[in-house]
Amino acid sequence: MADLRLGLDIGTTAIKAAAFDGSGNAVGFADRAAEIVRLPDGRSEQCLDSVWRATSECLRNLVSQLDVRHVRSIGICAQGDGFWALDSDAKPIRNAILWNDTRPGMVNDLKALESAGRTGSVSLGCNTALWPGTSALGWRWLRENEPEAAGSVAHIVTCGDWIGAQLTGYVATDFCNASIPFLDLKTREYGTSIDALGCADARGLLSQPRSADSVLGPVSRTAADLTGLPAGVPVSVATLDLGAMIVGMEMFGADDTMMILGTTAVVGILTDRFHPTDDPIGATVLHPVKNDIAARVLAPSTGTSAFDWFASLHLRGSVVSDAGGSSAEFNGTVAEVPVGSNGVTFLPYLNGERAPFVAPGIRAGFLGMSAVTTGAELERAVLEGTALSLRHCFELEGGLPDRPVQLTGGGSNNPVWCQIISDIVGQDILVNPRSDLGLWGAACIGAAAAGYGDVRSLCHRENDFTRYRPDPANHKEYRHVFQRYTMLSDALLATSAGRGP
């Protein structure tokens, strides 16, 4: 059997592990659900021991499918941000506060920081718009509400750092995970953001960032007994799940571009130009292994969830499929509707919005309907609305892409949707049929750390991309549709100003 490289992906709701051979074929896979503690006041937490327990069970299941003597390396990626804290023995202080936590104390604290003009200084360092579920807001909340716990913190880490520590006994973080909110993108050091946020006392609790393709340490005997992994196998420093996906997509150059059309959506644009502003939209994270470039990440709140919502309405005469489906009846009907859905516009703000603008109180809507509007026109308007929000992100981030864009996520399984996206952004859309891009990227980073080559060469594998080419006439027509969309969006934004979440 060939040498095996393992990839771990610790998500918020699911934990996955896979083993790959040198050609990038998955020869083993396992997953486990992750438990989340949710409370009515917006709290979203996880027990660190529970996350590790599910991870170890996932690894044990994977290992049972393999000849472990051939396992050569392990790479880790995980959910980012939130507040994960360990004591001097690398034991959990309390439950982790997750990236999507909106407890009133942190929300109000962020509003106070914004009113005082302090978030602008932070953005000039990390070029990221802060939100409540970042480590800075979690640290401030802990000091205020649980001072005894705050006094025991020796390490402020991320989810991936925690799993790495459990596997090896060592604590470290990578540049990608460290990017938000304390890192200065130009100096690659923890900068003035710490002081601007009143978190100077956190400086000694943060690990100095390293490239993800460096060795964190070997699998410890304790971890080996628990997981079935061979003791001594090298483990790389954990990175952000999006960072691993970028590697899995073989994105290493400035202006490489990708989109994710999942429950929420993501536009990711690699850049070597660092021009932070005091009021950015979205986030900026350094590449996990090529730290002279960064990814600008704009994440609209609504992706395939808009279509799932519409499908759940069961409109009479509708032939709605699921968001990722490709029902011939559905696709045929929607494809018959002309560009612009005969004047119907869908503004996809079902969950508020965070990119291309931040407006938690804005709401979705159909505009331009008449007594003869059909279900098919509404269906196409939903597809167009989500695609137009992606174009909106590009337009505010420097313009439409000038090279093919990779697309992944559940929505990429729908060919009509992919063609609409291609026509709207005016660029070839490349859909990778593989669904393991994050796991593959993590595995390749782990193999590079173990000395098997550079990440760029290790992550290359043959991919049978499906290519969607823009129709020039449709793209021209979509310019007018986009103008209508942004005009209506601006008007809706103005009417929702000041509305709370």
Side-chain angles (χ1 to χ4, degrees):
M1 180 182 284
D3 291 346
L4 299 177
R5 59 189 75 165
L6 270 55
L8 259 177
D9 185 348
I10 318 299
T12 308
T13 60
I15 296 166
K16 302 174 184 178
F20 298 91
D21 63 21
S23 298
N25 301 307
V27 296
F29 175 82
D31 61 355
R32 284 288 186 277
E35 297 178 1
I36 301 177
V37 179
R38 297 188 188 275
L39 295 174
D41 65 351
R43 297 183 190 220
S44 181
E45 299 185 350
Q46 280 185 316
C47 169
L48 279 77
D49 287 329
S50 174
V51 173
W52 167 236
R53 185 165 53 252
T55 301
S56 61
E57 291 171 356
C58 189
L59 284 168
R60 181 168 285 280
N61 186 343
L62 176 66
V63 165
S64 70
Q65 306 168 36
L66 312 171
D67 183 342
V68 296
R69 295 174 298 175
H70 296 280
V71 174
R72 297 291 181 261
S73 61
I74 301 171
I76 307 169
C77 69
Q79 58 172 298
D81 305 300
F83 183 76
W84 300 65
L86 309 178
D87 64 18
S88 57
D89 295 320
K91 301 296 184 186
I93 297 292
R94 67 178 313 280
N95 280 357
I97 298 172
L98 297 185
W99 59 272
N100 57 356
D101 193 295
T102 56
R103 66 189 65 195
M106 295 198 304
V107 172
N108 293 334
D109 188 26
L110 179 57
K111 290 178 179 177
L113 289 169
E114 290 172 339
S115 297
R118 293 164 70 181
T119 55
S121 299
V122 176
S123 298
L124 286 172
C126 65
N127 203 33
T128 292
L130 290 186
W131 66 95
T134 53
S135 57
L137 274 297
W139 175 236
R140 289 171 60 89
W141 181 90
L142 191 71
R143 288 185 318 193
E144 178 68 23
N145 295 274
E146 299 177 7
E148 185 174 348
S152 300
V153 174
H155 306 280
I156 295 176
V157 297
T158 67
C159 175
D161 300 344
W162 161 243
I163 297 303
Q166 291 301 101
L167 282 170
T168 67
Y170 296 97
V171 177
T173 197
D174 86 315
F175 281 104
C176 190
N177 264 318
S179 298
I180 304 170
F182 295 130
L183 200 70
D184 187 299
L185 294 176
K186 292 182 178 179
T187 65
R188 307 297 195 273
E189 299 286 343
Y190 296 123
T192 57
S193 304
I194 292 182
D195 299 318
L197 289 168
C199 295
D201 51 355
R203 187 174 266 106
L205 309 178
L206 298 164
S207 300
Q208 284 302 118
R210 295 157 53 181
S211 182
D213 58 347
S214 59
V215 175
L216 172 64
V219 172
S220 69
R221 171 53 60 189
T222 299
D225 291 343
L226 192 60
T227 63
L229 290 166
V233 172
V235 180
S236 61
V237 177
T239 193
L240 184 65
D241 48 10
L242 179 66
M245 180 174 284
I246 286 171
V247 170
M249 292 174 129
E250 300 184 53
M251 291 176 57
F252 295 93
D255 298 321
D256 283 352
T257 306
M258 55 88 78
M259 294 184 291
I260 303 172
L261 192 54
T263 303
T264 58
V266 172
V267 171
I269 305 168
L270 297 191
T271 180
D272 58 3
R273 299 176 294 278
F274 298 96
H275 303 294
T277 70
D278 60 2
D279 188 25
I281 297 295
T284 306
V285 294
L286 291 172
H287 195 284
V289 300
K290 201 171 185 300
N291 306 138
D292 58 338
I293 61 175
R296 286 286 297 134
V297 183
L298 292 85
S301 296
T302 304
T304 60
S305 57
F307 204 85
D308 294 338
W309 162 79
F310 187 74
S312 72
L313 299 180
H314 303 296
L315 298 180
R316 179 177 297 178
S318 173
V319 290
V320 174
S321 176
D322 62 281
S326 55
S327 140
E329 183 184 10
F330 160 71
N331 284 335
T333 304
V334 170
E336 292 173 1
V337 177
V339 166
S341 303
N342 285 326
V344 178
T345 300
F346 176 66
L347 300 176
Y349 310 130
L350 293 166
N351 304 300
E353 192 52 286
R354 59 188 180 186
F357 49 79
V358 177
I362 198 170
R363 292 295 176 259
F366 285 102
L367 295 102
M369 294 186 293
S370 72
V372 296
T373 295
T374 67
E377 289 167 347
L378 296 178
E379 291 161 8
R380 185 177 181 102
V382 171
L383 298 182
E384 289 183 336
T386 52
L388 288 164
S389 76
L390 297 173
R391 173 168 176 161
H392 204 174
C393 290
F394 280 118
E395 294 282 6
L396 293 182
E397 194 56 34
L400 293 177
D402 61 1
R403 63 184 66 186
V405 180
Q406 291 196 55
L407 176 67
T408 187
S412 68
N413 295 320
N414 188 316
V416 170
W417 210 346
C418 292
Q419 186 60 53
I420 288 173
I421 293 171
S422 178
D423 289 343
I424 285 176
V425 302
Q427 191 51 258
D428 286 9
I429 300 298
L430 305 178
V431 175
N432 191 327
R434 300 181 187 265
S435 59
D436 59 2
L437 296 170
L439 283 166
W440 171 240
C444 293
I445 291 171
Y452 287 91
D454 68 279
V455 175
R456 190 164 191 162
S457 60
L458 287 168
C459 73
H460 179 71
R461 56 181 176 176
E462 296 302 319
N463 290 306
D464 186 18
F465 289 105
T466 301
R467 182 182 290 264
Y468 296 87
R469 301 182 186 277
D471 181 293
N474 288 350
H475 179 57
K476 182 177 180 180
E477 182 63 26
Y478 270 125
R479 294 175 190 167
H480 304 295
V481 175
F482 180 69
Q483 290 174 353
R484 183 180 74 202
Y485 172 88
T486 54
M487 179 184 66
L488 293 171
S489 181
D490 289 345
L492 185 61
L493 183 61
T495 63
S496 66
R499 185 187 301 165

